[in-house]
Amino acid sequence: MRKVGLIAVLVALAGMAWYFIAGASTATNSSASMSTPQGNGDAQQDLIVVTPWELTAMDPSKSGFIFQRLQIAETLVDAKQNAELQPMLAQSWSSNDKGDVWTFVLRDDVVFHDGSPLTADDVVKSLQVALTKPTALESAAISNIKAIDSKTVEITLDKPLMSFPAYLSHATSIILASASFDENNEVTKLLGTGPYYVTKFEPPQKIEQKAFADYWGEKAKIQDITYLANSRSETRTLLAQSKPNYLVFTLDSASLTRLQQDPNLQVQSKSLARTIEYKVNADNPLFRDVAVRQALSDAIDRQGLARSVMHAENAAAAQILPPIFKDWQIKTPTQTPDPAAIKQRLLDAGFTVDSNGMLQKNGKPFKFTLRTFSDRPELPIIATALQAQWKKIGVDVDVSVGNFSDIPAGHQDGTLEMGLYARNYGMTPDPVGSLIEDFDPNGSDWGVMNWQNAALSKDLLTLETTKGNDVATKKRVSQIIFDERPVVPVVYYQQNAAAHKSLKGLEIDGLERNFYLNKLSW
């Protein structure tokens, strides 16, 4: 636990350092900005968008999620807030009966930021380059992409995949003009189709962009936007209060009360398609018994964590997929943890207690290490809370706060006992692909470890290869995961955003795909 304390101290010092270094200039700039007229439909007032995510390159496989959210580049397929697929650059799509050949018909009225029209050749080029990189398309088993004519693209798969259009909504599948790529297929110019185009690209922290007058859809109202990456949550909180033209995302939930009390700010929070969960090494003798996995899960005070850590009543996660995926939702029992009763269940499962009241089996203590990381500030706090809650049932947990890579590394080398992380199930609007990856019988870095279930694998295969919306099979998948608990949900992740009240049209995308900048106005 010394690691958790040290991280907290370092974060606090960093925030204080930034405050004193930047305080004078911020105060000066703030007073100047606060005098700027707001709320008069001034499209010339610029906007500064701040998030924690640094720009690593123009390569969509690395920074495509930022380009997508900033509406610089777009995908063939989009998704509504309820995760329902809808047309974007492709006005329609269809498949053969088997589901292994897909045809996409492009819109007629789309031009890239250099003025060139969107063609099937541009789509083929972007997707073929994406296939050579670590992208979502890797899992789609694509064997061929070709242009049928200037506005029609045909994609052939090695096997049927009924959720394939959802893969083409992923940020790594954004479509760029062919002129964006050099002779080595590296992106040298960001020529997208979105309502904003890039005027300056300065990794790792900055993009400057301007409204694109020839955009095919709803045109942007704010003409100039600057994107800034800042990894410190404390700094982002200060920025939200420093100027009226800042829009700040991914705020520390602990700062929400302070921001909500600022009369000049609007603060929004929304549950995302992202679950904070833990995975266990099911080959570990402590976790082989499903009764033990269920007992640990039942001992978690999810409602308390939702209120105290996420600052949201609806963040308690009883099942793995968030409510945005309504067809997958099952009925789960609502109960307040009863540590004494849960401890008795473990005693009935063969555990005994030592002189300190802690559980043991065959002379060995019920003790394990829970790994997590500090990239998301809620994770160490939740890990510490789980440690305290499990101690009430006689389980001794050591919390290890390390790097983001420690959990997949521990999965690969077999040393991981339990890992706590945030899993994004909205990377494609249809979660079938994520579930197939996470619950593969061979396991995955962010999925099951030494656990498999034949019925689950069969149901996922059915969803992968059968046309139509098979709600019954979806619910059966959710039920198996809930009953077996090789991966256990704790709370649903919240996105928090703050901006001056003069900014109109602010909306949070639960699928983390879009900042809806073209809908904003002063």
Side-chain angles (χ1 to χ4, degrees), residues 208-229:
E208 293 182 6
Q209 57 191 65
K210 187 176 287 289
F212 182 43
D214 294 327
Y215 180 57
W216 61 271
E218 181 178 348
K219 291 179 171 54
K221 302 168 186 65
I222 297 177
Q223 294 301 302
D224 294 283
I225 291 181
T226 298
Y227 173 83
L228 292 177

Side-chain angles (χ1 to χ4, degrees), residues 7 10 21 35 41 93 97 118 136 192 279 360 373 420 423 444 451 462 466 476:
I7 288 170
L10 290 174
I21 292 171
S35 65
W93 56 85
D97 290 338
L118 169 69
K279 60 184 283 185
Q360 59 181 5
F373 47 89
L420 178 73
R423 181 69 166 108
S444 70
W451 180 91
T462 297
T466 305
R476 196 160 56 242

